[in-house]
Amino acid sequence: MRSKTPEESDCLREDKRRRAILVAYLIATLDLTFLFMLLGVMPYLAKSLGLDSVGFGYLQTIFGVLQLVGGPIFGRFADKFGARAALVLSCASGSAFFLLVSISTSIPLLFLSRLPAVFMHGLPGAQKVITDMTTPSQRADALGKLGVCFGIGIIIGSALGGVLSTKFGLPREPCTWPHHRSHVSCFLPLTCVNRVLINTSSSVGTSQSASVFSIREILRLMKFPGVMEVFIIKVFAGLPIGLFLIMFSIISMDFFGLEAVESGYLMSYFGVLQMVIQGLVIGKLTNCCTEGTLLRLSIFVFAGVGLGMALMRTVWHYCIIAVPLVFAFSTLGTLTDSILTKAVPSSDTGTMLGICASVPPLTRTVGPAIGGVLYKQFGVSSFGYLQLIVNTGLFVYLLKRKIPLKEMKS
């Protein structure tokens, strides 16, 4: 048989790389669709079991804490055993999660169903595949396109949750359906990723001998140049808007006077915006601007969004503000993930992505208490003023201090 030429080998390798990234996008889309399908009906399921609003808050807090703890551990698992094994673990955990929710006939069982959430990290798993299969110059664009998956998940998941609950009855069918379909997500990494993913499961470094649960190895990454500063910016820049989004269901009813259907339309609008911005805009910007410049731009836009939120009075004002809000939110998340994965060795990108994935659960854990106090004591404008103050301070800090963004990957 004729041996393959170097050009043919390169083309085959490039084709496998593209297929691996497409599989990662597909898994992320399915994972997010199932999750948003469930989130829309979870309050109704809790209410049908006799859980009041305080108990539902505890349920959400437990979910956030488990995701917060599990993020870095999942990242260590991905570094130690490869992206394929991590994706299988995430999909299997999701299947167990949906199964337990679908058979929950009592409040204790509903709380027990939260446990598999500790390893439900499909998005970081997909990010791990993408970071391993792209060069540093391609990474921000490739990670940004995951926002398209997020937008599809919001739109299709929310719509399917409503349709299934209406057609087959609230609230169990939207919980049972994702359980069966999540087997597809488990099947994809077991088959496609096994054939396509040739390098992501072979990243070996000095930290591989340590335990998956090693806190020292997780904290070690924060000592690399620029990592702590960028991570702090990631946490605090998005915290005020995170508090606002946590309280949005209440704000949409009390402040904007929206019905449930209108709130659903508004969420779909957000999904479309995110798909457009992360799928089309961010990729083009990363090709013509440095990541440091775009990071400063996102912080500056966030400060302007804070001023707009402080002055808004109607839902139409919010729809206008949503455009720069989604731009700043998407740009900040994509760029900080890209910068942080470049700042650590290739054997630690999974752990770094796991640490980044713990930021939203952290906001969901502390958010209800802080957001509730702000809304009750100072009103909706307090979220805008907090956003303006925090991001103005961060913008000044970025202008005065040059954060070292050393790329350790070849």
Side-chain angles (χ1 to χ4, degrees):
M1 295 177 64
R2 183 178 65 88
S3 60
K4 294 179 180 178
T5 64
E7 291 79 7
E8 290 175 332
S9 299
D10 291 340
C11 291
L12 182 61
R13 192 178 300 111
E14 178 66 17
D15 181 62
K16 290 181 178 181
R17 186 189 70 84
R18 291 177 179 174
R19 286 169 56 197
I21 294 176
L22 287 175
V23 169
Y25 288 145
L26 179 58
I27 292 174
T29 302
L30 291 173
D31 183 78
L32 292 165
T33 300
F34 298 151
L35 183 61
F36 280 105
M37 188 187 304
L38 181 64
L39 290 178
V41 299
M42 183 56 69
Y44 301 97
L45 175 60
K47 186 177 180 180
S48 68
L49 295 177
L51 193 66
D52 58 13
S53 58
V54 177
F56 184 71
Y58 291 146
L59 187 70
Q60 296 296 85
T61 300
I62 290 175
F63 183 81
V65 170
L66 288 172
Q67 291 255 292
L68 175 63
V69 174
I73 297 175
F74 179 83
R76 283 284 301 155
F77 182 90
D79 286 333
K80 196 172 181 66
F81 299 103
R84 174 177 175 267
L87 285 172
V88 172
L89 175 63
S90 173
C91 296
S93 301
S95 182
F97 172 77
F98 292 122
L99 174 63
L100 289 174
V101 172
S102 65
I103 63 174
S104 294
T105 55
S106 64
I107 293 176
L109 190 57
L110 185 62
F111 274 88
L112 184 65
S113 68
R114 307 287 98 178
L115 289 180
V118 70
F119 293 123
M120 279 179 56
H121 295 281
L123 192 59
Q127 288 175 324
K128 169 65 175 171
V129 175
I130 291 170
T131 54
D132 285 346
M133 301 298 285
T134 56
T135 62
S137 60
Q138 300 170 327
R139 186 158 307 139
D141 184 21
L143 290 174
K145 286 183 171 58
L146 279 172
V148 178
C149 305
F150 198 89
I152 294 174
I154 292 178
I155 297 172
I156 298 180
S158 301
L160 277 179
V163 170
L164 291 173
S165 61
T166 303
K167 188 174 181 179
F168 297 101
L170 266 169
R172 303 210 173 275
E173 183 61 28
C175 306
T176 307
W177 202 81
H179 163 64
H180 298 300
R181 297 305 183 271
S182 60
H183 296 319
V184 178
S185 300
C186 294
F187 176 77
L188 285 172
L190 281 172
T191 54
C192 301
V193 177
N194 184 36
R195 299 174 184 173
V196 179
L197 213 53
I198 41 183
N199 293 326
T200 56
S201 60
S202 60
S203 52
V204 178
T206 57
S207 64
Q208 296 301 305
S209 59
S211 170
V212 172
F213 302 96
S214 175
I215 303 298
R216 179 180 298 179
E217 288 297 326
I218 294 173
L219 296 178
R220 175 180 61 86
L221 301 184
M222 292 298 173
K223 298 179 182 179
F224 285 97
V227 170
M228 180 62 76
E229 290 93 332
V230 175
F231 184 73
I232 290 176
I233 290 172
K234 181 181 182 69
V235 172
F236 285 97
L239 180 61
I241 192 63
L243 300 177
F244 174 82
L245 293 176
I246 287 173
M247 300 299 298
F248 183 73
S249 59
I250 297 176
I251 293 173
S252 63
M253 289 188 296
D254 296 345
F255 186 76
F256 293 133
L258 300 180
E259 299 292 337
V261 176
E262 295 169 330
S263 296
Y265 292 152
L266 195 58
M267 289 299 295
S268 298
Y269 170 65
F270 269 97
V272 172
L273 281 179
Q274 187 156 14
M275 290 172 60
V276 172
I277 291 174
Q278 290 204 231
L280 301 177
V281 178
I282 293 180
K284 295 184 181 300
L285 288 177
T286 55
N287 291 329
C288 60
C289 302
T290 64
E291 291 181 339
T293 300
L294 291 178
L295 181 61
R296 296 182 185 94
L297 175 63
S298 64
I299 299 296
F300 179 77
V301 174
F302 250 149
V305 167
L307 179 61
M309 289 175 60
L311 300 176
M312 72 176 179
R313 294 295 179 267
T314 67
V315 69
W316 297 109
H317 294 163
Y318 184 59
C319 289
I320 297 173
I321 296 170
V323 177
L325 189 157
V326 173
F327 169 80
F329 196 82
S330 302
T331 306
L332 177 72
T334 301
L335 289 178
T336 50
D337 287 349
S338 176
I339 291 170
L340 289 171
T341 54
K342 293 176 185 177
V344 299
S346 59
S347 59
D348 294 311
T349 53
T351 305
M352 193 71 253
L353 288 169
I355 295 173
C356 293
S358 66
V359 175
L362 175 64
T363 305
R364 289 197 299 266
T365 302
V366 303
I370 301 175
V373 171
L374 285 175
Y375 180 62
K376 186 176 181 180
Q377 299 294 331
F378 306 103
V380 174
S381 61
S382 62
F383 296 100
Y385 287 121
L386 181 62
Q387 180 84 5
L388 174 62
I389 294 170
V390 170
N391 283 276
T392 300
L394 290 175
F395 182 71
V396 174
Y397 174 80
L398 284 174
L399 289 179
K400 291 187 175 182
R401 179 177 174 84
K402 185 177 180 180
I403 299 176
L405 304 177
K406 180 181 178 182
E407 292 185 1
M408 299 190 64
K409 294 176 183 286
S410 59

